[in-house]
Amino acid sequence: MDAFGGDEEGAELKKLLAELAEDSDKVETWEALVRTCEGLEGGINRNSSSQAITALRDVYDRFLAKFPLFFGYWKKYADLEFSIAGTEAAEMVYERGVAGITNSVDLWTNYCAFKTETSHDADIIRE
């Protein structure tokens, strides 16, 4: 077992990272890397190791910096952060997403639904 999880997981991550080092514009490789990181340790959750959580966050941050218009990944990242670290972490991801793609109706809809579900104060939701 290494910093990326099991031997197989580590080997797959290293292979995908090497592919991205050669061609960082290949969306399919990025998506495979995200899926692989999400599957570390049987699926990332709040009980996962800090190394696995950090690896996942790093991959999402790099992926969304490269492809900020992929609104579905902002939602997936926010959902993961909600399950790992709670409401504030998920809200920070949503805020980064809507700041990056202000005209994404889908992302705004998801963000508003999240705020409605997690806030019990109507004044906070209106902000």
Side-chain angles (χ1 to χ4, degrees), residues 64-94:
L64 291 168
K66 181 87 174 157
F67 303 103
L69 301 180
F70 287 15
F71 69 88
Y73 282 95
W74 285 106
K75 166 102 172 72
K76 283 178 66 172
Y77 190 15
D79 289 346
L80 277 164
E81 281 294 351
F82 181 71
S83 70
I84 293 168
T87 306
E88 288 181 27
E91 186 170 352
M92 287 174 39
V93 171
Y94 273 120

Side-chain angles (χ1 to χ4, degrees), residues 60-123:
Y60 263 109
D61 288 340
R62 290 174 49 213
F63 175 65
L64 291 168
K66 181 87 174 157
F67 303 103
L69 301 180
F70 287 15
F71 69 88
Y73 282 95
W74 285 106
K75 166 102 172 72
K76 283 178 66 172
Y77 190 15
D79 289 346
L80 277 164
E81 281 294 351
F82 181 71
S83 70
I84 293 168
T87 306
E88 288 181 27
E91 186 170 352
M92 287 174 39
V93 171
Y94 273 120
E95 288 184 5
R96 285 177 44 210
V98 297
I101 47 174
T102 57
N103 60 347
S104 174
V105 174
D106 291 316
L107 189 56
W108 274 106
T109 301
N110 288 319
Y111 183 30
C112 291
F114 170 79
K115 288 295 282 183
T116 302
E117 292 169 11
T118 58
S119 297
H120 303 290
D121 184 352
D123 291 331

Side-chain angles (χ1 to χ4, degrees), residues 15-95:
K15 178 186 127 236
L16 292 168
L17 290 169
E19 288 179 29
L20 286 176
E22 290 179 23
D23 182 6
S24 66
D25 293 328
K26 194 169 182 185
V27 175
E28 297 82 11
T29 305
W30 277 106
E31 290 177 324
L33 183 60
V34 168
R35 282 191 307 275
T36 301
C37 283
E38 288 173 344
L40 288 174
E41 301 177 352
I44 299 293
N45 60 50
R46 71 180 54 230
N47 298 318
S48 298
S49 70
S50 62
Q51 295 93 340
I53 292 170
T54 300
L56 178 67
R57 286 175 173 154
D58 179 59
V59 167
Y60 263 109
D61 288 340
R62 290 174 49 213
F63 175 65
L64 291 168
K66 181 87 174 157
F67 303 103
L69 301 180
F70 287 15
F71 69 88
Y73 282 95
W74 285 106
K75 166 102 172 72
K76 283 178 66 172
Y77 190 15
D79 289 346
L80 277 164
E81 281 294 351
F82 181 71
S83 70
I84 293 168
T87 306
E88 288 181 27
E91 186 170 352
M92 287 174 39
V93 171
Y94 273 120
E95 288 184 5

